[in-house]
Amino acid sequence: MNLRSLKQLQLGFKLNSPKSFVSLFLAGTVLSVTLAACSGGNEGNSTANTPGASPVAASKPNVELTLVSFAVTKSAHEAIIPKFVEKWKQEHNQTVTFKQSYGGSGSQTRAVIDGLGADVVHLALSGDTQKIEKAGLIEPGWEKEVPNNGIVSKSVAAIITRPGNPKGIKTWEDLGKDGIKVITADPKTSGIAKWNFLALWNSVVKTGGDEAKATEFVSKVYNNVPILTKDAREATDAFAKQGQGDALINYENEVILAQQKGEKVDYVVPDVNISIDNPIAVVDKNVDKHGTREVAEGFIKFLYTPEAQEEFVKLGFRPVNETVAQTKAVSDKFPKVKTLGVVDDFGGWTAVDKKFFADGGVFDQIQVTNKR
């Protein structure tokens, strides 16, 4: 019997007999209990103390978050996501599941702009995130909403060689020598490939060379590249699985991850290097459409915690959390870099893309020259 029926029953009784009076009294008692249950009862009685009752937070529906990231973060996120899911469940009594997409940063950027419904993007460079912002999917100022200007993971460039380093490759300069074959990804589709290009360019200008010398050197290196792969993962496969090339330029974290998997990898981290900074951002238009903003922002916040940063470190990324960065485990794990360039040295990503990677830019000019 529902509340409305109880009211009708009570009003329908007549006080013309003791029996009716008793019946009315009983109905009123039932009605009072029902009303108390509907109103939650006394403030001192929580649902946690009521057997079989569910907490208020349990009424939250399950939520699915779509993470779109660049290829080499896959192992790190697969370790971090279960920790976040467990923590969110404990604190919010809500189950979070993830859809994950990994690929070249440039390709992932275009996919999001073209309609891939990312709630969170973790890309290889801020320039790609800025492209999604310009497309109207991310609100301006995204990098100020989280710590470290939105940079959540970072690495440096490394040169991987064949076992025993038979070609004696130790510096960036060695990659431009005759008879050396170099594997790297295509900067038109891969974020890491842009960083690789900048690492080569940076190695000249940071040691006193001018732009003419930088162009000459980088041209020599790319003339030694037999194949430009789509992303960093394909570059690694071409070198390690297909046996192509004498050297591979890749993230330091990829090398460390390979070693953890039992592979014997010879590599060098050059003293003159580039800080490879990877940003994280909420895709505002999508989270508002999906109703996932709270969880998306919570996930990003979690990525900066020591717990998550330690997982990045385990898989070869240099931490952005200062507490983690100052530990002995980190200092022992990563070689010191004497001269570290940053993208702002070159005017930021808008200037870098226009100068080096836009159609007709320095990279295209080098490719045309090398094909002659």
Side-chain angles (χ1 to χ4, degrees), residues 19-86:
K19 185 176 180 180
S20 297
F21 180 84
V22 171
S23 299
L24 179 57
F25 173 80
L26 292 174
T29 301
V30 172
L31 178 59
S32 298
V33 171
T34 303
L35 289 172
C38 292
S39 64
N42 191 298
E43 290 183 0
N45 295 327
S46 68
T47 54
N49 297 324
T50 305
S54 299
V56 174
S59 63
K60 282 188 175 183
N62 295 348
V63 62
E64 182 178 76
L65 209 62
T66 299
L67 169 66
V68 173
S69 191
F70 61 110
V72 299
T73 65
K74 186 173 186 290
S75 295
H77 281 302
E78 287 179 343
I80 292 170
I81 284 173
K83 294 179 179 292
F84 169 74
V85 169
E86 181 181 4

Side-chain angles (χ1 to χ4, degrees), residues 159 168-178 180 182 199-200 203-204 207 216-218 220-221 224 249 268 270 272:
I159 303 171
I169 299 168
K170 297 180 180 179
T171 67
W172 295 118
E173 186 179 6
D174 291 333
L175 299 183
K177 293 179 179 178
D178 293 340
I180 301 294
V182 181
L200 294 166
S203 71
V204 176
T207 54
E216 180 183 6
F217 169 65
V218 175
K220 287 181 179 178
V221 175
N224 287 343
I249 310 175
V268 60
V272 181

Side-chain angles (χ1 to χ4, degrees), residues 17-246:
S17 71
K19 185 176 180 180
S20 297
F21 180 84
V22 171
S23 299
L24 179 57
F25 173 80
L26 292 174
T29 301
V30 172
L31 178 59
S32 298
V33 171
T34 303
L35 289 172
C38 292
S39 64
N42 191 298
E43 290 183 0
N45 295 327
S46 68
T47 54
N49 297 324
T50 305
S54 299
V56 174
S59 63
K60 282 188 175 183
N62 295 348
V63 62
E64 182 178 76
L65 209 62
T66 299
L67 169 66
V68 173
S69 191
F70 61 110
V72 299
T73 65
K74 186 173 186 290
S75 295
H77 281 302
E78 287 179 343
I80 292 170
I81 284 173
K83 294 179 179 292
F84 169 74
V85 169
E86 181 181 4
K87 185 177 179 65
W88 190 265
K89 179 69 173 179
Q90 290 174 347
E91 295 180 352
H92 300 268
N93 213 356
Q94 184 178 36
T95 299
V96 182
T97 57
F98 277 77
K99 278 186 177 180
Q100 300 170 61
S101 173
Y102 300 94
S105 189
S107 301
Q108 295 290 73
T109 298
R110 284 190 293 274
V112 172
I113 292 172
D114 291 342
L116 178 59
D119 297 298
V120 174
V121 287
H122 183 188
L123 299 172
L125 46 105
S126 296
D128 284 344
T129 313
Q130 290 165 0
K131 290 176 183 177
I132 300 175
E133 175 190 331
K134 289 177 181 178
L137 300 177
I138 296 177
E139 294 295 328
W142 55 270
E143 67 278 14
K144 302 299 181 184
E145 295 176 359
V146 293
N148 204 42
N149 287 321
I151 304 303
V152 75
S153 61
K154 64 181 181 179
S155 191
V156 294
I159 303 171
I160 298 93
T161 66
R162 293 298 173 192
N165 194 10
K167 296 293 181 78
I169 299 168
K170 297 180 180 179
T171 67
W172 295 118
E173 186 179 6
D174 291 333
L175 299 183
K177 293 179 179 178
D178 293 340
I180 301 294
K181 296 300 180 184
V182 181
I183 302 298
T184 182
D186 188 342
K188 293 288 189 177
T189 58
S190 167
I192 189 175
K194 291 184 178 183
W195 287 115
N196 292 349
F197 183 100
L198 287 182
L200 294 166
W201 188 275
N202 181 72
S203 71
V204 176
V205 298
K206 278 289 193 296
T207 54
D210 58 16
E211 291 203 352
K213 288 185 177 179
T215 302
E216 180 183 6
F217 169 65
V218 175
S219 294
K220 287 181 179 178
V221 175
Y222 279 92
N223 195 44
N224 287 343
V225 176
I227 180 174
L228 287 169
T229 63
K230 184 176 65 175
D231 58 38
R233 183 64 63 200
E234 288 189 7
T236 300
D237 287 346
F239 181 77
K241 296 181 179 180
Q242 300 168 22
Q244 299 191 53
D246 303 301

